[in-house]
């Protein structure tokens, strides 16, 4: 079978095959080219440059029926703009460099029918795969560097199966995956990505059919997953995220079918986690993680199946759960941030089941009074049949609201609280009634009032006290006897206290009946 196969050759002139059609396989193994190779617009069978050294490769718009092999190749800039490789493309252990500020591998809109394999590649200048297509892409255990653009640019990339960037080292420029589509899994385990001027990984609107696995990743510059869609889970266990700006993980509007895990020693050295309007079908796990002193967690309007915050090495400063919808919250008092915003939060279950007195401390961490948070917690206790805890929460709600009311309302609130506990402690009214009745009865037993007429009823201190205190009663004692001297003041004060007590009880009962009706 005819072919061209050179091993260890030195080519001192130029290899010019632009616009050529070569119908035999070409192999230049361990060869040396003094000048760049020009394959622009060529139609080729297969090209193998394994282990060769060249100053550059111009191969825009080439068509290769089989494989393009550049494994262990040392080359200047390689250009494959709009090229079409029907087989696989091999760049394992290749060393590519750009002598200007461009990319070491320039392959926008490249189409590879098989896989693009670049294991242990070293690309000084980075790789540009904007709008490229391949069955799978592997850029693992390599080193990419850039100073003024993304070191791995994959905007609009379309991969039928997996994108593998595990143990990849990226220094400067970061990784860009804006609008990319990954049909299978996306692997970034133990990768190290550093970008001092922007996002370490920028992947807005990325679509991943499987999961994103970035366990142990180090991302200096943070991760941007704005409006990303992930068919399975996102795993960031044991990662280290450092923001360039304010956010270490930015994912507003992200949709994750399964879990988002940020645990097992995961660390935010600076910046925040921003997940407003995100939808996480499974668990958002933030346990066993470490946050910077100024870090915040933003879950405004987010939907989460289960929020796990049972333990954190250090807590974020703020956890914003306003208008979030969460199926279940697993937490512990030791893991609560100093500030928790709960206005509009909806949840179905809280674990562990803490007494209301401890959960009130959870509500007290809000920056302002939010009645919805108290109502939701009270409803939660009621649905569990813990009516006493529900009443404790409602009582706390009234006390919290009282602190911001006007002076007259505060005074009346204190009186309601003292007497009937805003109708949640009706037994107090009975206790005050007994105490006031006993006091008045003792006073008038010591200094009996004067009878109005000689043939009136016998004086009964307790009945007289009840007659004075309770305006709705008429036991005949108040009409039959008249207090004199200082005891008259006692009777007047007792009558006023009785009116106030009765009014408070009636108002409390009305409020209680109104709640029962709803």
């Amino acid at each position: 079978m005819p072919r061209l196969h050179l091993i260890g050759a030195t080519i001192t002139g130029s290899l010019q095959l632009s616009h050529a059609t070569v119908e035999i396989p070409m192999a230049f193994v361990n060869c040396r080219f003094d000048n760049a190779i020009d394959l622009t617009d060529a139609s080729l069978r297969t090209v193998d440059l394994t282990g060769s050294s060249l100053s550059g490769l111009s191969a825009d718009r080439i068509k290769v029926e089989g494989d393009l092999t550049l494994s262990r190749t040392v080359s200047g800039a390689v250009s494959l703009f709009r090229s079409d490789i029907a087989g696989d493309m091999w760049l394992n252990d290749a060393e590519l460099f750009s002598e200007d500020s461009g990319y070491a591998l320039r392959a926008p809109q490249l189409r590879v029918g098989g896989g693009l394999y670049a294991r242990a590649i070293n690309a000084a200048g980075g790789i540009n795969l904007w709008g490229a297509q391949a069955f799978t892409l592997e850029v693992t255990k390599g080193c990419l560097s850039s100073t003024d653009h993304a070191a791995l640019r994959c905007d609009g990339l379309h991969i039928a199966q997996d994108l593998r960037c595990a143990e990849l080292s990226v220094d400067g420029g970061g990784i860009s995956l804006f609008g990319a589509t990954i049909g299978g899994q996306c692997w970034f385990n133990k990768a190290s990505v550093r970008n001092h001027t922007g996002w370490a990984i920028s992947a807005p609107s990325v679509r991943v059919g499987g999961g994103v696995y970035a366990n142990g990743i180090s991302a200096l510059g943070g991760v941007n997953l704005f409006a990303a869609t992930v068919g399975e889970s996102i795993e960031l266990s044991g990662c280290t995220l450092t923001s360039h700006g304010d956010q270490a993980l930015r994912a507003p509007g992200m949709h994750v079918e399964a879990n988002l895990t940020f645990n097992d020693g995961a660390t935010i050295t600076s910046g925040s986690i921003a997940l407003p309007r995100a939808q996480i079908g499974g668990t958002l796990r933030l346990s066993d993680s470490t946050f910077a002193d100024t870090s915040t967690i933003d879950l405004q309007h987010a939907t989460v199946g289960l929020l796990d915050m049972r333990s954190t090495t250090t807590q974020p400063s703020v956890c914003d759960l306003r208008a979030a919808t969460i199926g279940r919250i697993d937490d512990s008092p030791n893991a609560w941030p100093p500030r928790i915003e709960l206005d509009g939060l909806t949840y179905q279950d809280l674990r562990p089941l803490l007494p209301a007195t401890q959960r009130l401390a959870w509500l007290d961490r809000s920056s302002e009074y939010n009645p919805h948070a108290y109502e939701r917690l009270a409803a939660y206790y009621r649905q569990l049949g813990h009516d006493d805890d529900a009443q404790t929460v409602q009582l706390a709600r009234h006390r919290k609201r009282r602190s911001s009311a006007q002076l007259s309302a505060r005074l009346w609130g204190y009186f309601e609280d003292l007497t009937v506990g805003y109708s949640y402690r009706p037994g107090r009214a009975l206790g005050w009634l007994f105490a006031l009745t006993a006091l008045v009865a003792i006073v008038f037993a010591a200094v009996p009032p004067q009878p109005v007429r000689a043939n009136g009823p016998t004086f009964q201190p307790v009945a007289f006290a009840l007659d004075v205190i309770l305006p709705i009663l008429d036991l005949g004692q108040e009409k039959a006897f008249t207090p004199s001297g200082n005891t008259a003041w006692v009777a007047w004060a007792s009558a006023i206290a009785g009116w106030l007590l009765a009014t408070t009880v009636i108002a409390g009962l009305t409020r209680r009946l109104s709640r029962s009706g709803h």
Side-chain angles (χ1 to χ4, degrees):
M1 182 175 182
R3 63 174 179 163
L4 173 63
H5 192 171
L6 297 179
I7 301 175
T10 300
I11 294 87
T12 59
S14 298
L15 178 59
Q16 295 280 352
L17 292 173
S18 60
H19 299 279
T21 298
V22 180
E23 296 181 352
I24 62 172
M26 295 190 304
F28 301 91
V29 179
N30 297 330
C31 294
R32 176 180 174 181
F33 294 82
D34 288 348
N35 298 309
I37 298 175
D38 188 358
L39 302 177
T40 305
D41 291 300
S43 295
L44 309 171
R45 188 76 172 272
T46 62
V47 180
D48 186 354
L49 292 166
T50 299
S52 295
S53 174
L54 49 149
S55 59
L57 173 62
S58 297
D60 294 342
R61 298 175 299 279
I62 66 167
K63 294 183 179 179
V64 180
E65 295 180 15
D67 293 357
L68 173 61
T69 304
L70 298 173
S71 295
R72 294 189 288 108
T73 298
V74 178
S75 175
V78 174
S79 184
L80 291 164
F81 173 66
R82 283 190 179 176
S83 294
D84 192 344
I85 315 298
D88 297 321
M89 181 173 172
W90 302 89
L91 285 160
N92 295 337
D93 298 297
E95 293 188 24
L96 308 181
F97 57 89
S98 176
E99 295 179 350
D100 53 24
S101 60
Y103 284 96
L105 174 60
R106 307 164 189 170
Q109 301 181 46
L110 170 69
R111 291 185 297 275
V112 180
L116 198 166
Y117 305 100
R119 304 184 191 103
I121 188 174
N122 187 345
I127 297 174
N128 183 2
L129 294 173
W130 179 88
Q133 300 178 33
F135 183 74
T136 186
L137 173 60
E138 293 190 15
V139 189
T140 58
K141 298 184 179 180
C143 182
L144 310 181
S145 60
S146 173
T147 56
D148 55 0
H149 52 248
L152 179 58
R153 186 187 182 201
C154 296
D155 301 337
L157 176 73
H158 186 94
I159 300 296
Q161 285 298 315
D162 295 356
L163 170 63
R164 296 180 178 271
C165 294
E167 300 182 57
L168 177 66
S169 176
V170 177
D171 190 6
I175 297 174
S176 181
L177 288 162
F178 177 73
T181 300
I182 315 298
Q185 318 295 332
C186 193
W187 304 87
F188 285 97
N189 292 337
K190 297 183 180 179
S192 175
V193 186
R194 297 173 295 279
N195 187 358
H196 296 279
T197 59
W199 294 104
I201 299 178
S202 181
S205 302
V206 68
R207 299 180 67 87
V208 181
V212 177
Y213 305 102
N215 298 315
I217 190 174
S218 175
L220 175 60
V223 177
N224 181 10
L225 294 174
F226 175 86
T229 301
V230 179
E232 296 178 10
S233 296
I234 297 178
E235 295 185 3
L236 291 165
S237 301
C239 70
T240 301
L241 305 183
T242 304
S243 68
H244 174 69
D246 296 331
Q247 297 171 345
L249 174 60
R250 178 177 183 256
M254 178 179 66
H255 183 92
V256 180
E257 286 290 336
N259 306 322
L260 171 56
T261 58
F262 188 83
N263 60 342
D264 290 340
T267 302
I268 296 287
T269 60
S270 68
S272 305
I273 294 179
L275 300 170
R277 304 181 308 281
Q279 297 181 41
I280 301 171
T283 300
L284 172 56
R285 184 164 287 113
L286 299 171
S287 57
D288 301 320
S289 51
T290 301
F291 295 87
D293 293 340
T294 57
S295 293
T296 63
I297 298 174
D298 185 355
L299 287 168
Q300 294 185 69
H301 298 275
T303 301
V304 180
L306 189 154
L307 175 60
D308 182 0
M309 294 185 66
R310 288 172 295 176
S311 62
T312 52
T313 305
T314 57
Q315 295 79 23
S317 60
V318 180
C319 184
D320 194 339
L321 300 175
R322 286 177 291 183
T325 301
I326 301 175
R328 190 174 104 189
I329 299 176
D330 287 0
D331 63 1
S332 68
N334 294 332
W336 290 342
R339 202 174 99 216
I340 308 174
E341 301 297 346
L342 300 168
D343 188 22
L345 170 65
T346 301
Y347 51 86
Q348 301 301 321
D349 197 8
L350 298 173
R351 287 291 181 269
L353 178 59
L354 299 175
T357 52
Q358 292 191 43
R359 279 294 171 192
L360 286 174
W362 185 53
L363 301 187
D364 287 340
R365 301 199 178 207
S366 294
S367 59
E368 58 185 16
Y369 166 66
N370 296 306
H372 175 271
Y374 288 86
E375 291 288 354
R376 181 66 197 92
L377 184 59
Y380 168 70
Y381 280 120
R382 278 197 299 270
Q383 75 183 19
L384 295 178
H386 293 216
D387 292 337
D388 289 342
D389 284 320
Q391 291 179 10
T392 299
V393 173
Q394 291 286 21
L395 181 58
R397 177 176 69 86
H398 284 285
R399 290 171 175 170
K400 193 75 172 181
R401 184 181 62 180
R402 181 180 67 201
S403 63
S404 59
Q406 295 181 352
L407 178 60
S408 58
R410 286 204 306 272
L411 293 175
W412 179 252
Y414 281 120
F415 185 75
E416 273 196 292
D417 192 1
L418 185 64
T419 54
V420 292
Y422 289 100
S423 79
Y424 296 105
R425 300 291 184 267
R428 290 183 183 177
L430 189 60
W432 281 108
L433 176 62
F434 285 152
L436 186 59
T437 301
L439 178 63
V440 174
I442 291 172
V443 170
F444 285 101
V447 184
Q450 299 297 320
V452 174
R453 57 184 186 276
N455 59 347
T458 304
F459 177 68
Q460 298 289 340
V462 175
F464 181 80
L466 289 173
D467 229 354
V468 171
I469 294 171
L470 297 178
I472 60 174
L473 290 181
D474 186 4
L475 302 178
Q477 290 284 308
E478 187 178 10
K479 294 179 180 178
F481 296 93
T482 302
S484 60
N486 292 331
T487 58
W489 291 99
V490 176
W492 295 338
S494 301
I496 294 173
W499 273 105
L500 288 174
L501 183 61
T503 302
T504 306
V505 170
I506 292 171
L509 289 175
T510 302
R511 190 184 300 114
R512 194 179 185 93
L513 291 173
S514 176
R515 285 196 302 269
S516 300
H518 290 295

